[in-house]
Amino acid sequence: MTSRPNLDTAIIGAGIAGLACARVLHEVGLPVTLLEKARGAGGRMSSRRLPDAVVDLGAQFFSVRDPAFGRQVEAWRQAGCASRWPESLWSAEAAGWQRHRDDRERFIGSPRMSAVTRHLAEGLTIIAETRIEHLEGNAGRWWLVDQHGERHGPFAHVVISAPTPQAHALVAAHDASLAAACEAVIQRPCWTAWALFDEPLPTLPGVDNDWQAVRFSPGHGGGPLRFVTRNHRKPGRADQGESLSLLAHLDWSEARLEDSPETAAEALFDAFQRALPGGLALPEPRELGAHRWRYAQPDVFAGGEPVNLDYRRSASGLALCGDGWRGPRVEDAWLSGHHLGEALLADAS
């Protein structure tokens, strides 16, 4: 049994929402610990190390709409863990690949997407490889029980930043209102494939040789693909080999949810091969694989955030945050956790 009565707040999940919530509390000296089922922080901003390359598996970039998030992104840039990217963005249209131009600034973790969450995690207490399976207790005295039956706590507050289906499983026995809120949020899956090459990609007709990413709209030649990035064209990775991250459309991912990673990877790689202008052939990949995000992003999400947080907090000390409570962007996840942290801080004042 693990007993840490001095740890006031537990946060389940060390993705960007959970980390944003934790930072608000940590920076004013309130005790907080995060429990994460993976080997470390990151969530859907995680990266995978391959021989001679690092590939981003989830979010490929983030943009700014909210001033508070803009200030946070600028702080990340000053800390050296975020950079502007991409500068050479393309769209696959019916008439072929076209340069995508708009007034939106986009950013990426540097030298990999997970650099942002690593920065957010600095100084925080994180218990990794710990999957919380159920909660015990009530009204300000909560115990968290992990996959080994070990109990963590007691905690005055428990924040659940996990995707809403997983959050529902934790709160259903304790709070009907929070459970109902979770049921109203639909989270959809996404397959992400990667391909690592020993030689560079061919020069594409009419396309800059240093192109960094391409967007595919449904019906415009990409088949199951919605976004493809060249990882070695990302900031801080110029010394690594050629590699691609290939993200699938949500509908396709849902229909192929139970495919093997090998099958999904081959399908997405073949789709990109068919989508190349000029009928050019890709080199044979040295390594090909895929990762399935069962709960990649919300499709139907809750309204009212950040104006009204009451519907996802309880008097007993349970609370929810994550992109499902705002929208699918990295910014949404950060704001959800940040605003919840501010609300908890106000409660403690």
Side-chain angles (χ1 to χ4, degrees):
M1 177 184 296
T2 300
S3 180
R4 295 184 177 90
N6 63 323
L7 293 180
D8 186 30
T9 299
I11 300 179
I12 300 174
I16 194 165
L19 291 168
C21 183
R23 288 239 65 93
V24 174
L25 302 176
H26 175 78
E27 287 172 7
V28 296
L30 292 178
V32 58
T33 192
L34 297 102
L35 300 102
E36 168 58 48
K37 66 181 181 180
R39 289 181 292 177
R44 282 162 283 174
M45 291 183 71
S46 64
S47 308
R48 183 184 183 97
R49 290 181 178 273
L50 302 174
D52 304 321
V54 174
V55 296
D56 295 319
L57 295 180
Q60 299 295 308
F61 63 83
F62 47 91
S63 55
V64 174
R65 292 160 177 79
D66 184 275
F69 186 61
R71 291 190 291 272
Q72 177 65 87
V73 171
E74 181 57 29
W76 292 340
R77 292 184 63 213
Q78 293 298 320
C81 65
S83 303
R84 286 191 176 93
W85 184 91
E87 297 174 348
S88 182
L89 175 61
W90 296 73
S91 292
E93 309 291 347
W97 285 27
Q98 307 292 327
R99 171 80 75 162
H100 182 86
R101 301 182 189 277
D102 58 25
D103 59 359
R104 180 73 62 192
E105 278 191 318
R106 296 172 176 85
F107 302 87
I108 194 170
S110 178
R112 50 190 172 274
M113 187 62 93
S114 57
V116 168
T117 47
R118 287 180 182 273
H119 179 72
L120 283 172
E122 288 180 3
L124 298 178
T125 299
I126 301 177
I127 304 174
E129 298 182 291
T130 301
R131 185 180 66 250
I132 301 304
E133 296 194 334
H134 65 273
L135 308 179
E136 295 178 354
N138 54 45
R141 189 174 175 83
W142 292 101
W143 294 86
L144 284 61
V145 183
D146 67 23
Q147 74 271 32
H148 304 299
E150 185 174 2
R151 300 171 76 232
H152 304 263
F155 296 96
H157 303 279
V158 177
V159 172
I160 304 169
S161 68
T164 49
Q166 296 169 341
H168 179 273
L170 293 172
V171 303
H174 304 283
D175 191 293
S177 295
L178 292 183
C182 289
E183 288 177 339
V185 179
I186 306 301
Q187 296 271 2
R188 300 190 67 192
C190 179
W191 276 107
T192 299
W194 68 83
L196 177 63
F197 304 92
D198 286 326
E199 56 186 287
L201 300 186
T203 299
L204 306 179
V207 179
D208 291 350
N209 193 44
D210 62 351
W211 69 270
Q212 296 169 319
V214 58
R215 306 161 50 139
F216 294 90
S217 300
H220 283 159
L225 290 170
R226 62 175 170 138
F227 202 68
V228 174
T229 66
R230 299 174 80 181
N231 289 287
H232 82 294
R233 298 291 188 188
K234 295 176 179 178
R237 304 190 212 179
D239 59 346
Q240 73 175 41
E242 178 88 68
S243 66
L244 299 173
S245 291
L246 308 103
L247 279 69
H249 284 292
L250 301 185
D251 287 345
W252 185 90
S253 297
E254 201 161 54
R256 306 287 289 271
L257 184 63
E258 301 305 330
D259 279 5
S260 69
E262 294 78 14
T263 298
E266 289 173 3
L268 294 174
F269 182 79
D270 290 345
F272 188 59
Q273 171 70 79
R274 294 192 300 272
L276 290 182
L280 295 175
L282 291 167
E284 189 70 22
R286 175 173 20 131
E287 184 169 335
L288 185 64
H291 178 82
R292 179 185 64 187
W293 298 100
R294 184 174 289 275
Y295 305 116
Q297 67 183 61
D299 186 38
V300 177
F301 50 91
E305 159 73 24
V307 176
N308 181 8
L309 298 174
D310 292 339
Y311 72 94
R312 57 183 177 87
R313 299 166 63 205
S314 75
S316 65
L318 300 180
L320 306 168
C321 69
D323 59 3
W325 308 105
R326 282 191 64 98
R329 299 184 179 93
V330 170
E331 178 183 63
D332 294 317
W334 184 88
L335 286 168
S336 178
H338 182 74
H339 288 143
L340 178 57
E342 291 182 325
L344 295 174
L345 181 58
D347 289 346
S349 300

